[in-house]
Amino acid sequence: MTDTDLDSLLDRMTLEEQVSLLSGEDIWSLPAIPRLNIGKLRVTDGPNGARGSGSLVGGVTAAAFPVGIAIGATWDPELAREIGAAIAEEVKSKGAHVSLAPTVNIHRSVTNGRNFECYSEDPELAAQLTAGYVTGLQSGGVAATVKHFAGNESEIERTTINSEIPERALREIYLRPFEAAVKEAGTWAVMSSYNKLNGTYTAENYWLLTEVLRDDWGFDGVVMSDWFGSRTTAPTVNAGLDLEMPGPTRDRGPQLIAAVEAGEVSRETIRERARNILRLMARTGALHDDRPFEERANDRPDDRALIRRAGAEGTVLLKNEGVLPLAEAPGTVAVIGPNAKVAQIMGGGSAQLNPHYRVSPWDGLVERLGADVLTYAKGCDNHRWEPLIEGGLTIDYFDSTDWTGPAVHSETMEQSVAFLAPPYGGGKVDPRAFTARVTGSFTAEADGPHRFGLHAAGYGRLYVDGALVVDAEEGAWAKGRTFFEEGNDEVTGTVDLAAGQTVQVTVEVRPKTPDNLDVTAFRFGVSRPLGDADIAEAVRIAGEAETAILFVGRSGEWDTEGSDLDGIELPGRQAELVEAVLAANPNAVIVLQTGGPVEMPWIGRARAVLQAWYPGQEAGNAIVDVLFGDAEPGGRLPQTFPVRVQDNPTWSQDPEVYPGLDGKVRYEEGVFIGQRHYDRHGITPLFPFGHGLSYTSFALSDLSAEASDEGSATARLTVTNTGDRAGSTVVQLYVGDPDASVPRPVRELKGFAKVRLDAGASAAVEIALPPRAFAFYDVTTGAWMVEEGRFTLEAGLSATDLPLRTELELGGRTLPR
């Protein structure tokens, strides 16, 4: 649809109709305008799939793809494009037109709870993967919504924090993936973040949304708020925020019409915002989409194969002293750890979905080897919250504030967790003045104390056989880091149970006034805490087995939206378990599943370590493919792993730097983030950015570089597979400006290439370097500057493994923004 067509449609619309398009009708859609045959635009959460219109729990099943950091570890923009294209089909299967993805914020710290959802600490790697994913998604006619724009690199007080970021750091680091999404991939939508940026909420930040996004970069799509992230009427509209989500509107509708009539917002501004919405609807086919709304669960074989391949491509072989790949017949195998029989396939928060299925490492090993050769011991726990009660649960809603009167609506629950969404209680209760009671049972499998836990965005109490065990009611409830910072931290209580004993569990909940996000939710569970005997059992089977594989790490309870980590140690007694198992079987393989770095005090004793992240629904199969060498461990680290949390770029004695103080977080490190920080301070990381081993070996040679008259350059080198099997590696090219007039990193990643070669084969690799590869952002002139002089080019296989070096002489020039 041309601008002329859009103008014609806008001319036929009343002011009220134009304004109606600038806010959601409900959580997931915009209102239709039947008079003009304008359809309903629908959106769905991403980025590792398409959940559809259901809540964060349950709903229509969907394909679960690898999370962002796992895609980042592939270093493969073409694979990101394939994933984006496949997810476009998933979005359409959920009746939606827009995917709220990808998440492209930078890994500033090692403790950000949402690092799992983002690609990298490095702006260039993140930019190229972003462009690939967005291109793939939009090739299927589905809009990408690149988020969160900008400065949302922590989950602490994220809805109100003021991110103070110098403009040079913004331009060179934090805005770079967004710029690539606009300029290189032509993204159709951008989502503003919750936080303030340099003193102004991003949803009403004219400099960010208009001067940078539209004027500098030429963006012509829709800017939407994060959910409940719009706080004002005229300021957001005038700044460039097209769409307030979700609906029903809080800030627009009649208020916006009144603002127009009062002269606070011009009619031309309303027209431009509505034009952007109509353009998005035309691009996605929503403008005249009158098909009945339908959500389907399409479990496609092609998706299964892609997810399994992508999982292996993102798996990083951190260390290998001749242990991997495992022999085709490995003998008896001890399978150990809290992540062995649980498929850790995704992180937590709005990225989670109801997968078609989950393949655990145990499942994958049984499929390959048969159960007869396997033994299992959990060893210890790693959960953050008590495990859910599964099945046999009923929730009753009461149209009262004290659980009195008959239940007006009842539902069954598959698990003891719920995000309650309107219409509450089947539309029979007031969202702010109702109560609910959940009843179910739990049967103990062993004697001993059992710990019950409850947390809620709301108030609640948990009873066991009628006795109060957990009190999270008003007065006892305290704001914590659950349910997007609207919930309390888990409160627990202990009950002694005998094996086989069944108890009645009752939880009573009621809503509370939200602080920022209008969420009512609860979660409760129970477990028997593990102890020394459980670690001893793991040690026993490890010592008796010919092969031991230990599956440890975190889960979406730890790596989640709404909550940063306290540190990067393995939760619970997992480090102790690793040490004990390695003492019993020194050849034990350690498989990590986390959404970011972890400390490894045991690394000197481990001979084989794999980092598998959260690779989607085929997790167990992808991991087993790599363990046995059916697939290459194709991943390279997209984030530096420090020896200890104190080594990471945001560690400071000043809490304003991180986690923030008095509503402000100061990005004091500027452009020295990620590997640039470790280079600058001479800190040796545990594993450097870009690190990853192969099952073969590679040599690089013959680096040369040639500059053009236009200021670009081309680097060339040769890669040879010097091993005895086919494999892949990632050639990385770093640029340095040793004579710069401003502080610049020792080296910056400016190009890379994933190379696959047969044994003994060689390939010529060419990496193009545009003028921006040599530039810094000059805040005094507001332009990108290349200074005349000498530049270094280093090539290698990680940020600390750079055997090749050459130099270029370039003339100075000013580049456009």
Side-chain angles (χ1 to χ4, degrees), residues 375-458:
T375 56
Y376 167 74
K378 187 175 182 181
C380 67
D381 293 314
N382 68 348
H383 57 255
R384 180 180 178 185
W385 307 310
E386 294 306 317
L388 297 170
I389 296 174
E390 304 280 348
L393 297 160
T394 299
I395 181 169
D396 296 318
Y397 290 87
F398 300 86
D399 190 21
S400 67
T401 59
D402 57 0
W403 300 273
T404 58
V408 297
H409 182 74
S410 298
E411 298 175 7
T412 59
M413 297 177 59
E414 295 180 1
Q415 296 179 313
S416 56
V417 58
F419 289 79
L420 303 183
Y424 292 89
K428 298 178 181 178
V429 298
D430 181 338
R432 298 264 61 88
F434 76 95
T435 49
R437 179 180 293 125
V438 183
T439 55
S441 63
F442 171 76
T443 301
E445 295 181 355
D447 295 341
H450 284 66
R451 191 163 52 222
F452 291 81
L454 166 68
H455 61 274

Side-chain angles (χ1 to χ4, degrees), residues 494-645:
T494 301
V495 178
D496 285 323
L497 300 176
Q501 181 181 355
T502 298
V503 292
Q504 186 79 12
V505 181
T506 303
V507 172
E508 294 182 339
V509 293
R510 63 188 180 94
K512 63 178 288 292
T513 302
D515 289 335
N516 289 287
L517 307 184
D518 194 358
V519 174
T520 300
F522 62 86
R523 186 190 193 283
F524 63 92
V526 57
S527 73
R528 179 186 67 84
L530 302 185
D532 293 346
D534 300 281
I535 291 181
E537 175 62 11
V539 168
R540 183 189 69 79
I541 69 167
E544 293 177 356
E546 294 169 78
T547 302
I549 313 174
L550 180 52
F551 296 92
V552 292
R554 299 195 293 255
S555 68
E557 296 178 4
W558 299 99
D559 292 301
T560 182
E561 179 180 357
S563 174
D564 276 11
L565 298 160
D566 291 328
I568 57 170
E569 306 91 351
L570 285 170
R573 299 179 67 181
Q574 290 182 100
E576 183 182 348
L577 175 64
V578 173
E579 295 273 16
V581 168
L582 288 173
N585 190 329
N587 290 326
V589 178
I590 313 301
V591 179
L592 293 165
Q593 284 196 265
T594 64
V598 289
E599 294 179 7
M600 305 181 202
W602 37 263
I603 191 64
R605 288 170 288 285
R607 296 189 61 197
V609 183
L610 276 177
Q611 171 57 260
W613 319 105
Y614 304 130
Q617 64 193 29
E618 287 281 337
N621 287 333
I623 291 169
V624 169
D625 286 346
V626 173
L627 286 172
F628 286 88
D630 299 338
E632 181 79 354
R636 302 297 182 264
L637 289 182
Q639 185 178 18
T640 307
F641 276 38
V643 174
R644 54 183 194 149
V645 70

Side-chain angles (χ1 to χ4, degrees), residues 656-678:
E656 243 185 36
V657 174
Y658 182 85
L661 180 68
D662 296 331
K664 177 172 69 175
V665 59
R666 191 176 78 252
Y667 288 44
E668 185 179 61
E669 69 284 352
V671 300
F672 294 94
I673 199 67
Q675 56 88 184
R676 305 147 178 250
H677 161 83
Y678 298 88

Side-chain angles (χ1 to χ4, degrees), residues 168 172 671-672 680 737 740-746 748 776:
R168 184 180 163 210
E172 294 187 22
V671 300
F672 294 94
R680 185 188 198 193
D737 184 0
S741 63
V742 297
R744 296 193 69 177
V746 174
E748 302 172 69
F776 66 89

